Amino acid sequence: METGKQYSEEYKKEAVKLAKEIGNKAAAEDLGIPKGTIGTWVSKAKAGEIDKGAGTRTPEESLSLAQQLKEANKRIKELEKKNRHLEEMNEFLEDAAAFFAASRRKSGKQND
């Protein structure tokens, strides 16, 4: 079974630029690739998954990417805070386990 042709990121970037200029169908025909393939690349470029190069994003795309970045940074901070809390809890539990193990050893010696 054939897995399909592999295209370089540079080729995809140029194909997306061409599709933006002349349309997906015309670009696909010019490049000899399926219209669905170029449509997927255009969608991925809009989502920021394919770098279209400097100065090629619309203001809406830039705002969307900025919002995604802001949300991702917020999520990272939340996860870092949760991670710190879990590390503190783990440290406390290790100390508690050591305390109880020591007191058990002590009480075991007293009962001998």
Side-chain angles (χ1 to χ4, degrees), residues 2-91:
E2 190 175 324
T3 59
K5 187 171 180 180
Q6 297 293 317
Y7 299 94
S8 71
E9 290 303 310
E10 186 63 29
Y11 184 85
K12 291 177 187 179
K13 182 174 26 173
E14 293 302 317
V16 168
K17 282 183 188 177
L18 182 63
K20 193 172 184 179
E21 292 172 11
I22 65 173
N24 290 6
K25 184 177 179 182
E29 288 173 1
D30 282 0
L31 297 172
I33 59 176
K35 184 181 171 201
T37 300
I38 204 159
T40 300
W41 295 346
V42 169
S43 296
K44 286 185 174 187
K46 285 180 183 174
E49 296 175 33
I50 293 177
D51 181 18
K52 295 184 290 183
T56 59
R57 289 191 179 88
T58 66
E60 294 81 20
E61 290 171 338
S62 294
L63 287 174
S64 173
L65 291 173
Q67 183 63 29
Q68 289 176 17
L69 180 60
K70 185 178 178 181
E71 290 173 10
N73 284 334
K74 182 180 176 185
R75 180 76 175 134
I76 288 169
K77 285 183 182 185
E78 290 171 359
L79 290 171
E80 286 174 341
K81 183 178 179 182
K82 185 174 184 177
N83 190 46
R84 277 193 305 275
H85 175 73
L86 291 172
E87 286 173 345
E88 290 169 3
M89 293 299 295
N90 191 39
E91 204 173 297

Side-chain angles (χ1 to χ4, degrees), residues 84-107:
R84 277 193 305 275
H85 175 73
L86 291 172
E87 286 173 345
E88 290 169 3
M89 293 299 295
N90 191 39
E91 204 173 297
F92 170 79
L93 291 172
E94 287 173 354
D95 292 345
F99 172 80
F100 286 114
S103 67
R104 234 178 157 190
R105 283 193 299 271
K106 256 187 184 177
S107 67

